[in-house]
Amino acid sequence: MGPVSNEHAWNYLFDMDGVLVREQHIVPGADDLVSELRENGVPFMVLTNNSIYTPRDLRARLLHSGLDIPEESIWTSALATAQFLQTQRPGGSAYVVGESGLTTALHNAGYVMTETEPDYVVLGETRTYSFEAITRAIRLVEAGARFIATNPDESGPSAEGRLPATGAVAALIEKATGRRPYFVGKPNPLMMRSALRRIGAHSENTIMVGDRMDTDVLSGLEAGLQTVLVLSGISGRDTAEEFPYRPTKVIGSVKELVGRTGDPFAQEG
């Protein structure tokens, strides 16, 4: 795709892992980019499909990496899930398999956590999936609770290697119950749209910057955003060519956006 002309200033949505940080280390140039956006008053949100942490936790982790992101500029699949359920069934109840990021978000949305006839079973990311909790989730879904999962990622990285993630455990529950969950996080464009609402932005002048074709670029595309693929994370240049859709622009890393946030699609030279 060619450069996009736009008379409006751009807003930005950034995926977090592989784009701004990598294994708790800052991607070179990410701090300069965030400083530029904040100094110029450019609305932006940092998105993550990981539902383990609250925005406050994530702010502290990012600060430790050398990246100063305000708490209100962090949007997680847990927050998107809580907002979705709040609009679907205000003041409802849920049985939650997940960590504080998810339980806090649901609690703040006015939800009651219960094991007795919940409206929803909500599955999120956790490092300690218990067989007992999964069994209870299966029985509650069989009894009529609606099945929601924060994100479809089947696995995630760790220092020791890959870890099973929400999508893998969701598949286990789906196999046992025959009920497919509704996934709120990327690539569901619902997560993009809820983030856009948070910053009061419109899709036509917002850019999604991500490192994955199958989640970031796809959800950005489906939400009507311009998309920038960075090669500092999951997808390589060859990987990008394998998909039937393309990002608006491919760059090495966010460092290439520094000094160009006003018009990142302008022809260079």
Side-chain angles (χ1 to χ4, degrees):
M1 292 175 69
V4 178
S5 64
N6 199 312
E7 70 266 36
H8 306 296
W10 291 104
N11 308 292
Y12 286 85
L13 301 181
F14 295 98
D15 180 45
M16 190 171 77
D17 297 304
V19 177
L20 300 176
V21 291
R22 214 172 22 214
E23 293 285 325
Q24 305 311 311
H25 297 290
I26 191 170
V27 169
D31 48 350
D32 295 329
L33 177 64
V34 169
S35 296
E36 181 179 319
L37 294 172
R38 294 184 72 178
E39 283 164 18
N40 294 327
V42 176
F44 73 93
M45 289 289 268
V46 175
L47 310 181
T48 176
N49 256 0
N50 190 322
S51 63
I52 289 181
Y53 304 106
T54 66
R56 188 177 303 167
D57 299 332
L58 287 170
R59 169 167 166 70
R61 289 166 70 88
L62 289 167
L63 209 49
H64 184 71
S65 301
L67 208 51
D68 187 5
I69 308 280
E71 201 176 312
E72 61 272 14
S73 297
I74 298 171
W75 190 242
T76 71
S77 64
L79 292 172
T81 299
Q83 189 180 83
F84 171 71
L85 294 184
Q86 188 180 30
T87 56
Q88 287 277 305
R89 191 177 290 263
S93 61
Y95 176 69
V96 179
V97 181
E99 304 276 346
S100 62
L102 183 55
T103 54
T104 302
L106 286 166
H107 179 76
N108 290 342
Y111 258 64
V112 171
M113 313 294 146
T114 182
E115 298 177 5
T116 309
E117 299 182 3
D119 297 316
Y120 298 97
V121 163
V122 183
L123 174 69
E125 203 70 63
T126 167
R127 293 289 178 258
T128 53
Y129 288 113
S130 101
F131 187 77
E132 185 186 350
I134 291 168
T135 301
R136 181 166 283 123
I138 287 168
R139 290 172 183 165
L140 290 170
V141 169
E142 283 179 330
R146 297 148 192 87
F147 187 17
I148 301 283
T150 54
N151 62 296
D153 302 62
E154 292 97 357
S155 65
S158 80
E160 293 79 35
R162 291 170 84 75
L163 294 168
T166 310
V169 180
L172 187 160
I173 297 172
E174 180 185 344
K175 193 77 172 171
T177 61
R179 302 272 178 83
R180 185 170 171 74
Y182 180 68
F183 293 104
V184 176
K186 296 178 294 180
N188 188 340
L190 191 74
M191 183 151 166
M192 304 289 109
R193 296 194 184 281
S194 59
L196 286 173
R197 280 196 299 274
R198 271 292 282 265
I199 57 174
H202 293 288
S203 55
E204 58 267 24
N205 58 314
T206 302
I207 300 166
M208 175 68 207
V209 183
D211 70 317
R212 291 187 66 137
M213 289 291 292
D214 56 350
T215 55
D216 304 321
V217 171
L218 179 60
S219 55
L221 202 68
E222 291 187 347
L225 314 179
Q226 301 302 326
T227 55
V228 172
L229 178 74
V230 295
L231 304 178
S232 53
I234 298 285
S235 291
R237 197 173 290 275
D238 293 342
T239 318
E241 291 299 322
E242 295 167 8
F243 288 83
Y245 48 86
R246 301 181 70 187
T248 315
K249 189 178 178 76
V250 180
I251 60 176
S253 77
V254 290
K255 192 171 190 175
E256 293 177 42
L257 293 174
V258 177
R260 308 189 59 211
T261 52
D263 193 1
F265 302 116
Q267 296 284 16
E268 295 174 58

